[in-house]
Amino acid sequence: MATGAAGDSFDAVIVGAGFSGLYMLHKLRGMGLSARIYEAGTGVGGTWYWNRYPGARVDIESQEYSYSFSPELDDEWVWSERYATQPELLRYLNHVADRFDLRPDIQLETRVTTAHFDESSNRWTITTDRGECISARYCVMATGCLSVPNDATFPGMETFQGKSWHTNNWPRDGVNFKGQRVAVIGTGSSAIQSIPIIAAEADHVTVFQRTPNFSVPAHNGPVDPVIAADWKANRAQRRKEARETGFGILMVGNNETLALEDSPEARQANYQARWEIGGFALLGGYGDLVVDTQANDTAAEFVRGKIREIVKDPAVAEKLAPKSFPIGSKRLCVDTGYYDTFNRDNVTLVDLREEALEAITPTGVRTTRGSHDVDTIVYAIGFDAMTGALGKVDIRGRGGETLKDEWADGPRTYLGLMVAGFPNLFIVTGPGSPSVLCNMAVAIEQHVEWISDCIGWMGERQMGAIEATTAAQDAWVEHVNEVAAPTIFPLANSWYMGANVPGKPQVFMPYIGGFPVYRDKCNEVAANGYEGFTVSSDAR
Ligand code: N01
């Protein structure tokens, strides 16, 4: 592992050693530039380093949720499960770090605390929690979309005498739930993946649900040998096909037919076939599910029907069946045995819409209807998504303006890549880009390649600074909002909207126009000499 010295100077500093940061480092070094990653964790892996809760695994098939930039890497890595587990993903990212000899330029256990732009030199001054001060021409925030825990608090949290854990900051040695009475607060993807496993081990699990979520079966298992062989033979083609889909995911299997044009029987058969495939295939069922609430309700009702079929107690099934938002407007969860877990004798569902959570007490959780005594509390309450990690660093651009102030009413970017007033600062999968609405591996590679091309272009011309214009940024933000407005996405209190974090401005953050449209726009901007950006020569 690298260790920095005060006064280090690089072409680029990269913040974060997850999927984005590792590839960014590889690309920049390949261009002959000096670059260093600063990473808070004790190892590489980002999301897959921190999220070690029981059952953590990816919700996109493994062969698609991986880097495509190196055919050799693709050929030598063999995924064992259809949806890779967190340990396997972490092994993969460690393998990438070793294979491309990235570690000498990665400094672990170091949190970047400030990044200030110096207009006189067109460089960023970056400081860390180790007291280092580093200078870099470019600063690349590869800090992830879901990396900062939602720090919502509950009255009395600090008085609890048992153990408590956040799913997104799980102990490295795991947690032994044997003999424990466990409370799980939250019913998002993290909870839905972990609850079946915790319930199989603990004495009793009480699930505190504020909003029920739609979940579909993963049907996980070993990678299908037919799919593995097909990908081995046609990998480049399959990757290309995936990049031509709206979500950058081939397995969704988009059907452009409109839901209401099919008969109810044909719709049921279509949804059933997709339920049997599992994962996000259900959302590809019809072309209008994300734009027509009536069409959407046919898919939502199908899943509610499944919940009623699986869960034996009709009252519990009704509590688990989401009715307050369209399916897909919150990230669809992909589970293994989630609904069936509520048929176990040792699992209780508490509906926080019927009995509000009043406080955490020394012995458990108190709601308006009574107390639930537990030994352990698992907080599965999600993330300060998309902007959280950027807000944790004191980022100051031109004139000392802070990014926090610039974004006080919600994030504003040009293409989700750069921010007006913050020259030479790049964000990988920032708000305003497809990011979390896309296969993250696809979105990350496209961003890293666009950023490195841009840096290369600047270098060839010996330019000192590139910066989004306010006009281009305003037009892009307007476009992002225009595209989102007629869809189902603004209809949910989701983390896409910032609605899960108390006090966060509610703005739909990702770009829903589809990956191919977005990529073409980015390519066009570059081909037109970085249209919408101002480029200046070095001020020194
Ligand atoms: O977080 P979430 P997550 N009182 O925000 C509840 C990715 N991911 O960590 O819906 C009571 O979805 C909150 O309730 P509500 C994936 O993109 C992927 O589970 O706000 N409850 C909700 O039920 C995912 O979407 C995988 O009413 C409170 C839950 O906590 C994203 O990460 C696995 C509360 C939070 O759910 C986030 O998932 C895991 C409060 N004060 C994560 N505050 C894969 O499968 C919040 N809640 C790859």
Side-chain angles (χ1 to χ4, degrees), residues 48 53 57-59 146 150 152 154 167 185-191 193 210-211 213 330-331 352 380-383 493 495 500:
W48 302 107
Y53 61 82
R57 65 173 75 242
V58 65
D59 54 4
L146 294 157
N150 175 1
F154 299 88
T167 46
I185 301 180
T187 49
S189 297
S190 304
Q193 287 185 329
R210 187 165 71 178
T211 314
N213 243 314
K330 285 185 166 199
R331 173 85 168 202
L352 297 177
I381 58 171
F383 300 86
N493 290 327
W495 58 257
N500 63 326

Side-chain angles (χ1 to χ4, degrees), residues 39-40 107-114 127-132:
E39 161 61 53
Q107 183 171 320
L108 300 172
E109 297 179 68
T110 309
R111 187 172 287 283
V112 166
T113 47
T114 70
T127 62
T128 74
D129 62 355
R130 288 189 180 199
E132 294 147 308

Side-chain angles (χ1 to χ4, degrees), residues 1 82 143 170 175 208 218 237 272 294 301 303 313 454:
M1 180 191 98
R82 185 177 175 192
T143 40
W170 203 254
V175 176
F208 293 85
Q237 176 60 22
Q272 179 62 32
Q294 229 187 320
E301 191 49 34
V303 177
D313 180 333
C454 176

Side-chain angles (χ1 to χ4, degrees), residues 147-312:
S147 48
V148 169
N150 175 1
D151 59 6
T153 53
F154 299 88
M157 252 171 130
E158 66 294 344
T159 67
F160 182 58
Q161 283 172 357
K163 294 221 158 98
S164 52
W165 314 101
H166 274 261
T167 46
N168 40 37
N169 196 356
W170 203 254
R172 298 189 81 179
D173 298 333
V175 176
N176 183 357
F177 289 106
K178 256 200 163 62
Q180 300 279 301
R181 295 162 303 164
V182 183
V184 179
I185 301 180
T187 49
S189 297
S190 304
I192 282 175
Q193 287 185 329
S194 57
I195 286 166
I197 294 175
I198 299 173
E201 192 180 323
D203 259 16
H204 193 91
V205 176
T206 309
V207 177
F208 293 85
Q209 171 188 274
R210 187 165 71 178
T211 314
N213 243 314
F214 289 101
S215 189
V216 291
H219 300 311
N220 188 41
V223 172
D224 181 338
V226 175
I227 291 179
D230 174 56
W231 271 71
K232 201 164 177 54
N234 306 299
R235 202 182 300 279
Q237 176 60 22
R238 296 288 171 263
R239 298 272 197 197
K240 192 162 169 276
E241 288 163 5
R243 285 193 283 263
E244 292 313 315
T245 67
F247 296 115
I249 312 173
L250 209 49
M251 63 179 257
V252 171
N254 287 326
N255 167 17
E256 291 310 321
T257 313
L258 304 183
L260 301 177
E261 285 179 358
D262 253 354
S263 66
E265 296 73 27
R267 266 201 313 267
Q268 187 72 9
N270 182 17
Y271 290 141
Q272 179 62 32
R274 286 169 179 273
W275 180 267
E276 283 164 21
I277 294 168
F280 295 143
L282 191 93
L283 287 184
Y286 290 102
D288 51 353
L289 296 183
V290 300
V291 287
D292 180 338
T293 49
Q294 229 187 320
N296 182 283
D297 202 48
T298 63
E301 191 49 34
F302 174 84
V303 177
R304 287 191 285 264
K306 287 290 180 193
I307 298 169
R308 291 174 189 126
E309 243 172 68
I310 299 168
V311 180
K312 295 196 178 107

Side-chain angles (χ1 to χ4, degrees), residues 323-339:
K323 293 165 197 119
S324 60
F325 59 94
I327 185 167
S329 59
K330 285 185 166 199
R331 173 85 168 202
L332 187 62
C333 302
V334 180
D335 72 277
T336 299
Y338 176 64
Y339 293 120

